[in-house]
């Protein structure tokens, strides 16, 4: 009993000391960020990287190191909590999109980030979100400080996992708000206490319309991931309704593999002199260099035969097969399942219940199999173990859709292969792809019917 007051006193002193240290760190970070702020419109990738073992932070003469030239996370003005989380997760060197965008994002600028799929865009916006709220000393009573909007439930779930990794040692509360879940009433009770929301547009709007006292008047950062899709016609009404309820004075970041420059889009989001960062705009290819891409003419009545032959020739691969509609996905999946090709088959489409979709996605991440899907799997999803092949059995609607689909393979430092089936009337797509700097090899096959395994192995140079 006698020791209790002493223990409380010590605990209070510890908290006071930690708080003082945190305030000192925030003051130092703000001074560093302000003193070395990159010029607006500048490209950090053009700067000479810091030498190995160069001093970082405040230097002997009282000045600070140039974080615009950083190539490692440890060279950025980040809090110890964020730095510890990145180290624990094994993040050391930055990718190009991270190097180019983080110096601008950390000093509070609006950012339009465009980079190839699999290039590390998620960390490029999650880190500034966590750091902004940390420096503002955001707490439960402050409400929603950041909203990250994703076009699909699966991608939102993936983003939430990255957020939990980066924010591991912070004290923010975060929530995943996506459709198809039964616990919407429980969400309504807790959503007002959350600091960071990762959500799909429909679910966020549902809370804005239905949840008592839910408001975002103190919002600090809005992020749109796969922004081109969210700005598209399908989400236009929802997005306009969401943005109308957000404060205009905020930081806004848009990231995608293919980015908008539409003045109308930027105006409706209230972007202020955004930094347009397209790290691969001058690259020779719009798709990853480790991706081998092939297209072939397949008559419509022989498409399923070709797909069957392809699957039979690649029984030891992980294959993602894109089809145009839910109905086609279900039909091809059921038909092939009855034929028993000798490899596990799965299907994924927008009409499936959320829990089922997440289970299938998780299973495909872990095992060799064929996943038949609609474009619900084309955006941003990162399958843990490399996808060997992306097969587009149906021609995509446009070049952007093609790029997003093939982006499920050859991610980060992995290689990958893709094949696009085109009917004779769809061959104009080849010209569009080449005009968009997509290096694709066209295979012409005459008299195609049921291809033998041997022929397929030669065609695709396995």
């Amino acid at each position: 009993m006698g020791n209790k007051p002493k223990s409380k006193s010590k605990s209070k002193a510890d908290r006071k000391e930690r708080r003082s240290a945190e305030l000192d760190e925030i003051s130092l970070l703000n001074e560093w960020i302000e003193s070395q702020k990159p010029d607006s419109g500048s490209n950090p990738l053009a700067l000479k990287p810091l030498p190995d073992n160069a001093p970082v932070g405040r230097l002997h003469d009282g000045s600070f190191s140039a974080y615009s030239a950083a190539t490692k996370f440890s060279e950025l003005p980040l809090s110890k909590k964020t730095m510890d989380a990145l180290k624990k997760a094994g993040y050391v060197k930055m990718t190009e999109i991270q190097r180019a965008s983080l110096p601008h994002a950390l000093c509070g600028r609006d950012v339009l980030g465009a980079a190839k799929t699999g290039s590390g865009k998620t960390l490029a916006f999650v880190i500034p979100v966590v750091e902004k709220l940390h420096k503002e000393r955001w707490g439960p009573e402050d409400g929603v400080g950041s909203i990250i909007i994703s076009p699909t439930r699966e991608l939102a779930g993936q983003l939430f996992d990255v957020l939990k990794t980066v924010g591991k040692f912070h004290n923010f509360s975060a929530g995943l708000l996506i459709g198809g879940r039964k616990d919407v009433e429980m969400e309504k009770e807790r959503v007002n206490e959350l600091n960071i929301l990762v959500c799909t547009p429909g679910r966020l709007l549902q809370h804005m319309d239905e949840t008592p006292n839910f408001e975002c008047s103190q919002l600090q950062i809005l992020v749109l991931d796969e922004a081109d899709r969210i700005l598209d016609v399908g989400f236009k009404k929802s997005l306009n309704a969401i943005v109308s309820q957000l404060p205009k004075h905020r930081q806004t970041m848009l990231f995608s593999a293919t980015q908008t420059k539409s003045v109308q889009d930027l105006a409706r989001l209230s972007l202020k002199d955004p930094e347009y960062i397209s790290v691969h705009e001058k690259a020779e290819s719009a798709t990853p260099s480790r991706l081998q891409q092939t297209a072939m003419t397949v008559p419509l009545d022989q498409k399923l035969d070709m797909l069957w032959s392809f699957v039979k020739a690649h029984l030891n691969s992980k294959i993602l097969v894109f089809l145009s509609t839910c109905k086609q996905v279900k039909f091809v999946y059921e038909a092939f399942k009855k034929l028993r090709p000798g490899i596990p088959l799965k299907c994924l489409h927008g009409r499936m219940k959320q829990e089922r979709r997440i289970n299938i996605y998780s299973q495909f991440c872990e095992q060799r199999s064929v996943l038949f899907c609609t474009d619900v799997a084309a955006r941003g999803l990162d399958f843990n173990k490399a996808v060997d092949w992306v097969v587009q059995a149906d021609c995509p609607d446009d070049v952007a859709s093609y790029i997003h689909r093939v982006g499920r393979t050859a991610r980060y430092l992995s290689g990958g292969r893709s094949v696009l089936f085109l009917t004779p009337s769809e061959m104009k797509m080849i010209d569009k792809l080449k005009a968009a700097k997509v290096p694709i090899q066209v295979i012409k096959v005459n008299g195609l019917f049921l291809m033998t395994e041997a022929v397929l192995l030669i065609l695709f140079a396995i």
Side-chain angles (χ1 to χ4, degrees), residues 146-359:
S146 177
I147 294 174
I148 302 173
I149 302 179
S150 157
T152 68
R153 301 166 186 178
E154 288 79 8
L155 182 52
Q158 200 166 279
L159 296 181
F160 191 66
D161 289 340
V162 176
L163 176 64
K164 285 192 292 185
T165 298
V166 177
K168 184 179 179 69
F169 301 113
H170 287 279
N171 300 318
F172 311 125
S173 55
L176 177 63
L177 310 181
I178 54 179
R181 297 171 68 185
K182 295 176 184 175
D183 52 359
V184 65
E185 293 306 318
M186 193 183 296
E187 277 184 10
K188 286 180 180 179
E189 290 174 19
R190 296 193 56 217
V191 72
N192 288 321
E193 302 166 11
L194 299 174
N195 301 142
I196 304 173
L197 305 180
V198 179
C199 49
T200 48
R203 189 58 147 219
L204 176 61
L205 191 56
Q206 183 181 356
H207 280 291
M208 285 179 159
D209 291 343
E210 299 175 9
T211 303
N213 305 319
F214 178 70
E215 53 93 26
C216 307
S217 61
Q218 301 303 311
L219 188 78
Q220 302 293 302
I221 300 189
L222 171 67
V223 178
L224 269 58
D225 190 28
E226 302 298 342
D228 56 344
R229 169 87 183 275
I230 296 173
L231 291 165
D232 207 354
V233 178
F235 289 110
K236 187 175 183 180
K237 194 174 177 183
S238 297
L239 187 64
N240 287 345
I242 289 166
V243 171
S244 70
Q245 300 184 54
L246 301 179
K248 283 187 166 58
H249 184 70
R250 62 169 192 268
Q251 184 178 2
T252 306
M253 294 187 284
L254 279 61
F255 281 85
S256 190
T258 49
Q259 191 57 269
T260 182
K261 282 186 180 175
S262 160
V263 174
Q264 190 178 5
D265 284 338
L266 306 187
R268 65 197 255 239
L269 288 169
S270 306
L271 267 77
K272 304 170 290 296
D273 300 319
E275 298 293 329
Y276 182 77
I277 296 159
S278 181
V279 296
H280 299 125
E281 198 169 57
K282 293 178 182 176
E284 292 179 10
S285 164
T287 48
S289 58
R290 293 177 179 81
L291 174 62
Q292 296 178 34
Q293 301 169 82
T294 307
M296 58 193 306
T297 311
V298 183
L300 186 60
D301 61 344
Q302 294 175 14
K303 199 183 276 189
L304 280 182
D305 293 331
M306 182 64 205
L307 184 56
W308 172 258
S309 299
F310 182 91
V311 170
K312 288 293 289 180
H314 300 89
L315 295 179
N316 290 315
S317 300
K318 187 181 284 192
I319 306 167
L320 203 51
V321 178
F322 283 100
L323 295 152
S324 295
T325 66
C326 299
K327 193 176 281 187
Q328 283 170 296
V329 167
K330 287 191 278 189
F331 173 77
V332 176
Y333 169 68
E334 293 296 339
F336 280 31
K337 198 164 71 167
K338 285 184 170 66
L339 293 169
R340 298 187 178 182
I343 183 173
L345 305 177
K346 306 180 190 308
C347 70
L348 187 68
H349 55 78
R351 290 184 186 169
M352 299 170 79
K353 288 188 176 178
Q354 177 62 18
E355 194 174 333
R356 180 86 179 118
R357 277 165 61 173
I358 289 172
N359 286 341

Side-chain angles (χ1 to χ4, degrees), residues 92-141:
V92 179
K93 288 189 175 180
M94 292 188 280
T95 64
E96 286 190 324
I97 186 63
Q98 292 158 5
R99 284 176 57 196
S101 65
L102 280 170
H104 290 293
L106 287 170
C107 65
R109 290 177 181 151
D110 289 353
V111 169
L112 287 169
K116 296 174 187 178
T117 56
S119 57
K121 293 187 291 292
T122 307
L123 276 184
F125 60 77
V126 166
I127 289 173
V129 162
V130 170
E131 284 297 290
K132 176 84 169 179
L133 298 190
H134 172 72
K135 285 182 290 184
E136 293 292 333
R137 295 190 58 75
W138 213 257
E141 68 285 349

Side-chain angles (χ1 to χ4, degrees), residues 20-55:
S20 177
E22 201 169 84
L23 287 170
D24 288 345
E25 181 194 53
I26 290 169
S27 175
L28 183 77
L29 289 173
N30 284 332
E31 196 180 340
W32 184 3
I33 288 169
E34 193 58 35
S35 70
Q36 293 296 323
K37 190 184 288 189
D39 293 336
S40 185
S42 65
N43 179 8
L45 292 178
L47 300 174
K48 187 179 178 182
L50 294 173
D52 285 339
N53 302 317

